[in-house]
Amino acid sequence: MFDEDDADALGMLGDADDGTMPRRQKRGDGRPLPPFRWWHLVSGRKLFSLAVPRPGGPDVIYAVDIRSHEDGDPRAHLYRDGAQAVVSKLPAAFAVEGGVIQVRAGSYGLRRMHYVRPDRSERRLTPHPRSAIGRRLRLEQTHPVASRWIAATAIVVLIIGVGVNVPQLVQVISEIPPIAERFGTFVSPIQLPLWLNITLGTGAALASMERGLRLRYHWMLDGLGN
C-alpha cells in the first residue's frame, strides 16, 4: 500500500489543464499490476508502459491499464513501479515526473496515449507486445509495406463512408418537421440499397478499429465515417 502522504507515489494527482481531471480520479489501492493474458485480446484490455528517468536512481516505470468498468465505461488505471496509484475516468491526465500522461478514448479504441512534457514535446507510451495494439505495431515494424497498404485502405474506406453517409444523413435531418417547414427537405443524390449501406458501415467500423490500433483519429474521417 502507498503512504497517502506520498504524493509522488500516488501519481501526483491534479495538475489538469481544465481543473476537472482531479474530480475524475481516485487514489489507487496499491494492488499489483495483473499480467496480460491471451483472453484480454477478447475483453479489449489495453496495456501501455512508460519509463521516466529519475535523478539519482533507477527509472520510474509507469503502466496505464485500460479496462471496462462495471458501468460499461472504460477506466484508466495508472500503476507506478508495479503498484496501482490512480484510477480515472476517461479522458484522463496523469501528472507524473517531468510531464503528463494523456489518455483519451475514441469510438473504436484509443485516440491518445501520450506522455507530454512542459515544452509540448510528446511520445506515445509503449503498448504491451501481446495486446492488439502491440501486435499491430509489430506488423508495422516487421512488414512496413503491408502495414502501409492496410492503413491506406482504411483511409479510403472511411472517405467512401463519409461521402456516402453525409448526404443521406443530411436528408434524414432535413425531413425533421420543424427543419422541413423552415428550410425545406434535401434529397440525397446517393440512394443505396440497405445491404450496401450495411456493408459500407461495417467496413467503416473495421477501418476505424484499425486506425484505433494505431492511435489515429480524425474528426471528419473517424467521426462522420461512423
Side-chain angles (χ1 to χ4, degrees), residues 52-61 81:
V52 180
R54 174 166 39 192
D59 291 350
V60 182
I61 306 300
D81 290 334

Side-chain angles (χ1 to χ4, degrees), residues 13-14 16 18-26 87-89 91 93:
L13 288 169
D18 60 2
T20 63
M21 288 300 176
R23 292 194 294 272
R24 293 175 174 269
Q25 299 175 348
K26 67 177 183 180
V87 179
S88 176
K89 296 180 180 180

Side-chain angles (χ1 to χ4, degrees), residues 134-204:
R135 292 171 188 270
R136 180 62 181 88
L137 178 62
R138 186 163 64 249
L139 174 65
E140 183 178 328
Q141 295 171 340
T142 58
H143 299 88
V145 175
S147 176
R148 286 194 294 269
W149 273 104
I150 294 172
T153 300
I155 292 176
V156 170
V157 170
L158 286 172
I159 290 175
I160 293 173
V162 170
V164 168
N165 289 333
V166 170
Q168 295 183 93
L169 179 61
V170 172
Q171 176 177 329
V172 172
I173 294 175
S174 73
E175 292 173 350
I176 298 174
I179 297 178
E181 291 174 3
R182 182 168 182 178
F183 301 104
T185 58
F186 170 80
V187 178
S188 171
I190 302 174
Q191 299 291 338
L192 300 180
L194 179 60
W195 69 267
L196 186 52
N197 272 322
I198 293 175
T199 301
L200 291 175
T202 301

Side-chain angles (χ1 to χ4, degrees), residues 79-127:
Y79 289 80
R80 187 178 190 274
D81 290 334
Q84 188 190 76
V86 188
V87 179
S88 176
K89 296 180 180 180
L90 298 183
F94 298 116
V96 299
E97 288 86 349
V100 176
I101 296 175
Q102 297 179 349
V103 186
R104 183 177 293 272
S107 299
Y108 298 91
L110 294 174
R111 294 168 55 177
R112 283 188 66 78
M113 179 64 75
H114 289 74
Y115 173 59
V116 183
R117 300 180 181 87
D119 62 3
R120 299 300 180 184
S121 63
E122 61 181 51
R123 64 186 172 102
R124 186 177 68 182
L125 276 65
T126 302

